[in-house]
Amino acid sequence: HVHLWYIPLGNETSYAECLSILSIEEQIKANSFHFEKDKNNYINTHIALRRILSKYYSINPQDIFFNYNKYNK
C-alpha cells in the first residue's frame, strides 16, 4: 500500500505545541531559519510527520525518534 498525505503549510503552529511535540534538535533547527515562513514550514511539516507516524504506530508523536546520517539526512 502507498499512502499519500497532503499537508497545507499555511497553518500557524503555537510555540507551546512546538515544544510539546518536536525534539530539542528539531526546535534548534527550526530556530536556525532566517525567514519566519521557512521556520513555520519546518515546524508544521515535522509536527505533521510525527502525528501521522504516531497514528500508524499507536504511540505519542513526541516519542518518535529519528536517526540521521553524517549528512543530516
Side-chain angles (χ1 to χ4, degrees):
H1 292 21
V2 175
H3 297 178
L4 180 64
W5 292 85
Y6 171 76
I7 309 296
L9 295 179
N11 300 334
E12 292 291 323
T13 302
S14 72
Y15 189 69
E17 184 177 15
C18 167
L19 290 178
S20 70
I21 294 177
L22 296 180
S23 70
I24 297 297
E25 292 82 9
E26 288 169 314
Q27 292 174 42
I28 292 169
K29 173 128 186 197
N31 287 319
S32 73
F33 286 98
H34 181 73
F35 297 106
E36 196 69 23
K37 178 183 174 188
D38 295 331
K39 176 182 178 178
N40 289 336
N41 285 346
Y42 178 86
I43 290 170
N44 287 325
T45 55
H46 280 251
I47 287 174
L49 175 62
R50 286 176 167 280
R51 285 182 173 160
I52 290 167
L53 291 173
S54 74
K55 298 295 182 192
Y56 282 104
Y57 293 105
S58 299
I59 61 174
N60 293 324
Q62 59 271 29
D63 293 337
I64 295 172
F65 295 96
F66 297 104
N67 292 317
Y68 299 95
N69 66 17
K70 64 181 180 179
Y71 304 107
N72 237 5
K73 304 287 181 185

